[in-house]
Amino acid sequence: MTNLPDPTDSSSSHRYISNAGEDIREMLATIGVDSIDRLFDTIPDAVKLKGLLDIPGPWSEIESRRWFRGLAARNKTTADHASFLGGGAYAHYQPAIIDQLLLRAEFLTAYTPYQPEVSQGTLQSIFEYQTHQCLLTGLDVANASLYDGSTALCEAVLLAERLTKGKKKVVLAKSIHPHYIDTVRTYIQNLGLEIVEVGWGADGRLDLDALRAATADAFAIAVQSPNFLGVVEDYDAIVGATEGLTRISVIAEATSLGVLAPPGQHGFDICVGEGQAWGIPPQFGGPYVGFMVVREALKRHMPGRLVGETVDVDGKRAYVLTLATREQHIRRGKATSNICTNQALIALAANMYLSLLGKEGLREVGLQCLQKAAYLRAKLREIQSIELPFAGPVYNEFVVRTPFPAETILADLEHEKILGGIPLGTFYDGHANDFLVAVTELNTREQIDQYVAALSAAISRERR
Amino acid sequence: MTNLPDPTDSSSSHRYISNAGEDIREMLATIGVDSIDRLFDTIPDAVKLKGLLDIPGPWSEIESRRWFRGLAARNKTTADHASFLGGGAYAHYQPAIIDQLLLRAEFLTAYTPYQPEVSQGTLQSIFEYQTHQCLLTGLDVANASLYDGSTALCEAVLLAERLTKGKKKVVLAKSIHPHYIDTVRTYIQNLGLEIVEVGWGADGRLDLDALRAATADAFAIAVQSPNFLGVVEDYDAIVGATEGLTRISVIAEATSLGVLAPPGQHGFDICVGEGQAWGIPPQFGGPYVGFMVVREALKRHMPGRLVGETVDVDGKRAYVLTLATREQHIRRGKATSNICTNQALIALAANMYLSLLGKEGLREVGLQCLQKAAYLRAKLREIQSIELPFAGPVYNEFVVRTPFPAETILADLEHEKILGGIPLGTFYDGHANDFLVAVTELNTREQIDQYVAALSAAISRERR
Amino acid sequence: MTAITEPEVAQHAAQKSAMEPLIFERSKKGRRGYQLPDLDVPEQPLDDLLPAALRREEIQDEVEVSEVDVMRHFTRLSKLNVSIDAGLYPLGSCTMKHNPRINEEIARTPGFAWSHPLQAEHQVQGNLELLWHLEQTLKEIFGLPRVTLQPVAGAHGELTGILMVHKALAKTGNARKYILIPDSAHGTNPASAAFAGYQIKELKSNSRGTVDLSTLEAAVTEDVAALMITVPNTLGVFESEIKAMADILHAKGAYLYCDGANLNSFVGIARPGDMGIDVIHSNLHKTFSTPHGGGGPGAGPVGVSESLVPFLPTPTIERREDGTFYCDFSHPDSIGRMRAFHGNFNVLVRALTYMRSMGPTGLRRIAQIAVLNANYIRARLRKTYHLPYDAPSLHEVVFSDKLQTPKDVHTLDIAKRLMDYGFHPPTIYFPLIVSGALMIEPTESEPKEELDAFCDAMIAIARETEERPELVRSAPHTTPVRRLDEARAARQPILRWTKK
Amino acid sequence: MTAITEPEVAQHAAQKSAMEPLIFERSKKGRRGYQLPDLDVPEQPLDDLLPAALRREEIQDEVEVSEVDVMRHFTRLSKLNVSIDAGLYPLGSCTMKHNPRINEEIARTPGFAWSHPLQAEHQVQGNLELLWHLEQTLKEIFGLPRVTLQPVAGAHGELTGILMVHKALAKTGNARKYILIPDSAHGTNPASAAFAGYQIKELKSNSRGTVDLSTLEAAVTEDVAALMITVPNTLGVFESEIKAMADILHAKGAYLYCDGANLNSFVGIARPGDMGIDVIHSNLHKTFSTPHGGGGPGAGPVGVSESLVPFLPTPTIERREDGTFYCDFSHPDSIGRMRAFHGNFNVLVRALTYMRSMGPTGLRRIAQIAVLNANYIRARLRKTYHLPYDAPSLHEVVFSDKLQTPKDVHTLDIAKRLMDYGFHPPTIYFPLIVSGALMIEPTESEPKEELDAFCDAMIAIARETEERPELVRSAPHTTPVRRLDEARAARQPILRWTKK
Ligand SMILES: Cc1ncc(COP(=O)(O)O)c(C=O)c1O
Ligand SMILES: Cc1ncc(COP(=O)(O)O)c(C=O)c1O
């Protein structure tokens, strides 16, 4: 170990670690040992490293900025391209105050509010967040957050299964985000459950006949709306076909709740989803925020944390983590979920977003998405050889079909600095020429017109 | 006025103005008038606008981001070029925590700490900032900040003049930043003062013979070191030649204080300067922070705010604005300066920078600048037809001379994504082929080597 | 349960923060708060680069602390401040309004933040265009033909303006001697006028707090260069005769300078240029929301009437036919440069962002609601506090402590007691024409419920003054430190830390 | 001066913040907190786009507030929280260390923040390269051949790890039935094991708090899939026999899972792979400094030994010969996908930034100083508080309330009283094997003076327990709210605001 640095030497000091030479010597004296090494005597020499790890660093901030910015510059992103990408991650407007508020140490560097007297800020915000979820989904009880949309669906399926011990079959619409379905498959692999997928009809909506055929013996049905094809499902029709099942609605584009019918008012028992669209940057897939809202009767089955209102000894209103007997730290192997750390900071961002946009803004975002997508669809319909294969109503996303492989067309668009869509063939067989296109309030008419022109040019080019 | 919007209509609501329709009606009722217009009755109709101002907006954040980022993208900057620009504004390392701390509302959105009981954060920080200035300059009393380096020099000249009523001549080294000299000229134009400029010798240092000739009847002498040519002045020699004058040292590159002799220990009475180099981004010239540090005896002549230590009624140590009788709000027409709002937030950033870098870091920044500039100078000396016209010692900046107009050479470098220097001919006649080059710890050896190669190529190109 | 209200118990938490030592007192040998990349060029002997006589020894007593220490220190210090984002900060004359965060974001765009002030013009066209647009916008707001963006604060703008007046008059052969300034003016006005080379003649206010035309007429001699007046004045009262004042001055060849600190009260409602004003500065950190930063930075652009245009500081920013922009130094009569480089550029970026966010309707609404809010406070408190000047006021209202002094409770006490209620006090003891002034400016940002809470607190303090005056006199009780010994600070000044 | 210590006076300031209403209660008709650009495409009748039956009415009871209202609200809420940047936050097992701000800055680089998770690989080479480097770095830290970055928290990592164990065993024909978990384990361990399809067998700790080899040997039947053990355990005590444990398990075809929550105590000193560990997750929000965010987000990468590599979640990130990177889905035995997209990518960015900032020397120093700091607290408090397990501990120390219970003062009271001294309490009542546990983890970030202040407070509380126990029992006294009625919250749950 002679090559290893002496921790009391000032060249060993590191900016993130306060105690250095003078401190260390004083502290060792109090402890009564003569070196830090002595404190590690319980680790057998046989497993101790003889030297330093073989990794880069320590780097200064200057070096980190150079290297990481260099990497970031190798990505092509919404920051320098017109983007029409959706598929469960959307570029929406992020109000400037949100990120600056998130950087406040009191939010950023606190942890789970186990001690309510010094965590009312976090607790009250979660309580507000829970309320927003209820108002938006038309359901009664929301939790503090789950990891993301995909794992929220897993938790919903497991919750539903707990309600109806015995049945082992869950029906999933095939048009749920394929990553979500994959994740459910992973989660339940050892639990003796069976997944039945139900496909879509010609209009892109859930195939109701196939659904009816699949429900026997099932304990739950989950559908996504707008679904992965962008099509808005008919909740009432689905409810009519799924008597007796626990109904789970999945929301992958959260801003759609500003204009679409709330699942809780249309016969659904559980709504889970991904809150990223509420002004969280796409950031390559995470951190996002999964939400779950359920009917009153299911609240004691809820996974994850819940914040409730109470009073302090002076009678002052206050907030606290509650119904903890559902959770792993109390129930251990029998908890409603294994989740502990969740996505609190992103839920806080969502609370800020929902509060700023408010009643009017949430509706206006939804309407702008709807109108802009409709404008693009109308323009695309004018182009010969472009097809919009699914006729069902859409919100802000839809499938486009050309006579050429999606990847080829999208590469052409990329040359025009347009991220033009997501190839559907990656997810479904037989859709090699299809791609998903999403439009949000951030896409200007100019961008949309350029998109149409570029797409039209790309098709002409390929035709030659 | 019928076209003007009705303030109680919800379409008039603005996100920055809380009170809207419902509030307005309630408040008007309390006041007892029937419209907001009534509250403006004291403004004669003749001067009231009949319509709205003819300016753009209101814009959403989305539109502002687009337009302003568009403008920013039209600048070529240190963000995407290798920069060797100095001349009173330097690109140094800015530790990441500083900017995030500055965004804390408690620092950003408070004002001058008139009420010490609720402003101890600002007050203590200023007290610390004052201390740093004293330690760095070797003088006794520093103020809370002045606008910038140029106006700090104006204030120093005026302070010196107050000390020696009667004399009207101030000697300024011609090698002080030309903008600073210009500003002094503007400030004193009606005060009956005379400026005598003293030039430099062959080595770029103050011409001591000329200086001796100029000091008769003068009340003060000001020199900058490193001067605008980058050359480090010999304080002791200047002191020897300026008996009886108030001596003002000007610092335009504040990091130089990490390695250069402190003026207070070499016979100077006042040190003023520009603190931008302490990690403040160049941001096209401002906001920066001017500093002034003086000998103990001059403290009651100090312009600007001063924070002092005291105790509260419980005997607890605390800080407060003090010696206010020097200032405009008390002394009005007879104040030591007209300054009120200063550059507090930038002084706070400087305090953070100086604290983080600390004893070791301030020295290391200085040494790296010194070594890197020396490395570049050595490389340049190897190139035929490049001349470094001034032989005096330098810190991190110096003059380069080629056989071609500086603008031509610099345009060539710009093609290589190098901001290669500042043409000296803009400031001094007879220097058309000269430019100023600055190097900091942010310039890598690779950048420096590329600079040398690009410069050498540019000269060859021009020669053809 | 008596134990728990004992002060030594109740104040632990507050004390922890309040006892934050100086950063110098946190220093400990060997700690480090930074890292630089290793030197990547061959190191040369120092003596070869810089003679020892020109170098310094180590910076004695400078700190050695970690990044953690610094983060803790400044986070804790910040907690000792109150701020606009946490609540009403009704400093009269300071226009403590909401500081939008989009302005901070835009100012940090690398293309702005990392542009250098001495770059060639073609490299900074974005900046120049921005400055040009800001000038156009301020011209329209002022109703004046040109605006300089160089001044970095209100006082700096005042000096700029009066220097222009001086130069213009000097050009006619007589720079004259005096600047007239009402007794209600801010201290920077006389100070700036003096620095510009003038003597001050003070004008007495009338019973409305404004200046009588007759007073003005009598004062405007051939020796008077200008009247420097704040509109509306520091009582918030508009000078309804402003146009007539301009006429009087102009008839005598003198100028009308407007201190635009109170522009927030009439922006978008009326324009200085239309009032006959020749020069006005605007504190962008007031009306245009750039953050006050604990005392700055700000910006103080100055607009001028046609006759003063030749005297503007250089450079001006101009647009060419081809749409490019440049700095124009060709103004032979210019007063010169007011500061190095381009003023507080990144404050200007914030201000223009704000102007765009507001637009014409929003700017007008600022004035409307700012005036509504101030008048609401006035209406709610006028029965409880003495209103020394009864004239209708715009965006601020000035009370006095006259009704409280019989109980030996003074403005300072009321201000300190407000802190216990969670509010920053108003501006106090200014304007000087009001004895014991409490100058309250809520701005348009404040919601009604915050104004109500403030008025409730003021009323409660008035009640306390009657019932328990000692409680008010000894306030504040809940702040990190209590009332300070300010006399001691001035008598034996300790202006820096020194190692014990 | 008695008046001024009365509680109703002293608490105004605190109350103002503590009484912050819900954002819903700030709502007022007509207020607005946002603006969008005007719709720039021709507006079509809604019914043509979406049948009314699929649309919603207005979102009833959603808020109408201004940006100012929102800024005020969240700024005030924030002030009700304590945080790491303001002081020691010694939650045991949570590794509440300094969160460097450079990590936040880097994560916000537009190229990262605005990259989309379903972009073509050639468009996101920067991201893929970053993930690849992070895996290399974690491999070296773990001493294991592969690491998956998909799990977004420790518990998620546990589930991932146990699912891999299950699949690997299932491949041999018998997935087995049990996971062994010591009684000192964190609740997520049994919960994750259950979700992975296993039953739990609890192992009793010995008097050192560790697991005896004989206990293990007796428990490892052919039905046991794995031992899930925390190293060092939740008392901070290292399992010195870890290698022998691995041998016992491996001999029976079972796996050794390590809960790496406590990696901070030995990072750079020893490597899990060298101890015979087959699977380990690391909470990047603990050892690698990504901020806890009031409860998340985090990340929980999982490293595995050679035999488990085929079962890793898909996709894995791979480097081609030409230096480009791609997602590899060709793992037929993979357990599948643990989450949509690429996990908490922007948490991973922060963690890699931190690893680079620390480097090999810095990582080692983390463990050294974290252990030094914990042992310093142990040394200073061991005379005052009962140490239920006396074995040498590493980065945390667990005391109990045994010496205080005779005065009817319990761990909860001590925790609450610490708040009055300005400290966040330690983790309490965990691990379960200690009655009245006080689990203190200071991390390497804390300066000695902060540790001393904490120890002084703990000692003062012990003294108060003797002299004025009621003071401790009724704490906290200085927080925005005092002790809560938690039972009421659970009995009549109010889990959302409803309009009155
Ligand atoms: C009326 C008035 N005039 C002038 C000033 C000075 O402006 P600044 O502080 O920006 O220099 C102020 C600022 O407080 C003011 O209120
Ligand atoms: C020992 C231990 N294991 C597991 C976990 C769970 O990790 P996470 O909260 O990241 O899911 C924790 C977190 O508190 C822990 O302390």
Side-chain angles (χ1 to χ4, degrees), chain C residues 19 153 183 410:
Chain C
M19 299 305 279
D183 51 9
H410 301 270

Side-chain angles (χ1 to χ4, degrees), chain C residues 242-409:
Chain C
I242 186 73
K243 262 202 106 163
M245 291 176 158
D247 292 342
I248 293 170
L249 290 157
H250 293 162
K252 289 281 175 72
Y255 288 89
L256 176 53
Y257 184 107
C258 176
D259 179 335
N262 293 341
L263 178 60
N264 207 54
S265 62
F266 67 92
V267 59
I269 303 273
R271 306 196 305 173
D274 300 336
M275 303 174 192
I277 286 165
D278 298 294
V279 207
I280 181 172
H281 78 259
S282 168
N283 315 60
L284 301 189
H285 44 297
K286 300 182 179 180
T287 308
F288 299 105
S289 90
T290 72
H292 281 88
V302 175
V304 293
S305 60
E306 210 57 71
S307 61
L308 291 173
V309 169
F311 310 99
L312 284 168
T314 49
T316 57
I317 313 292
E318 311 290 346
R319 177 153 81 166
R320 293 194 190 85
E321 290 283 304
D322 66 358
T324 60
F325 298 85
Y326 67 103
C327 294
D328 187 357
F329 289 88
S330 64
H331 302 287
D333 288 333
S334 165
I335 56 165
R337 174 183 280 289
M338 284 304 297
R339 180 193 179 280
F341 312 130
H342 299 279
N344 275 346
F345 172 74
N346 231 346
V347 174
L348 304 175
V349 173
R350 290 169 171 89
L352 185 59
T353 306
Y354 181 73
M355 292 174 195
R356 291 291 181 269
S357 298
M358 300 314 294
T361 48
L363 286 184
R364 189 178 160 83
R365 190 172 179 83
I366 286 174
Q368 290 178 319
I369 307 296
V371 169
L372 176 73
N373 284 356
N375 276 279
Y376 181 71
I377 291 178
R378 181 176 160 136
R380 281 211 54 198
L381 295 185
R382 64 173 307 163
K383 293 222 183 76
T384 313
Y385 287 90
H386 175 242
L387 195 61
Y389 290 86
D390 194 32
S393 56
L394 293 176
H395 68 301
E396 62 195 2
V397 55
V398 179
F399 293 105
S400 88
D401 57 3
K402 193 171 173 187
L403 303 180
Q404 285 70 40
T405 45
K407 289 278 181 182
D408 199 23
V409 164

Side-chain angles (χ1 to χ4, degrees), chain B residues 74 76 186 310 364 414, chain C residues 34 119 123 129 196 337 485:
Chain B
R74 294 178 51 206
K76 302 190 169 181
T186 305
T310 186
E364 189 176 344
E414 191 182 327
Chain C
Y34 79 100
Q119 282 185 253
Q123 295 169 352
E129 179 166 350
R337 174 183 280 289
D485 188 345

Side-chain angles (χ1 to χ4, degrees), chain C residues 104-158:
Chain C
E104 296 309 306
E105 179 188 308
I106 299 271
R108 283 161 175 79
T109 309
F112 296 137
W114 291 93
S115 61
H116 188 283
L118 294 179
Q119 282 185 253
E121 281 165 7
H122 71 273
Q123 295 169 352
V124 289
Q125 283 292 303
N127 290 345
L128 297 179
E129 179 166 350
L130 189 153
L131 294 174
W132 187 85
H133 280 288
L134 177 56
E135 187 187 347
Q136 303 316 305
T137 302
L138 280 169
K139 277 159 59 177
E140 171 68 8
I141 289 170
F142 289 157
L144 288 169
R146 285 305 299 256
V147 177
T148 175
L149 304 174
Q150 246 178 59
V152 296
H156 203 217
E158 294 168 17

Side-chain angles (χ1 to χ4, degrees), chain B residues 111 340-341, chain C residues 93 153-155 158 186 188-189 230 234 259 261 283 285-286:
Chain B
Y111 200 16
C340 177
T341 296
Chain C
S93 210
E158 294 168 17
H186 192 265
T188 52
N189 294 6
T230 308
T234 54
D259 179 335
N283 315 60
H285 44 297
K286 300 182 179 180

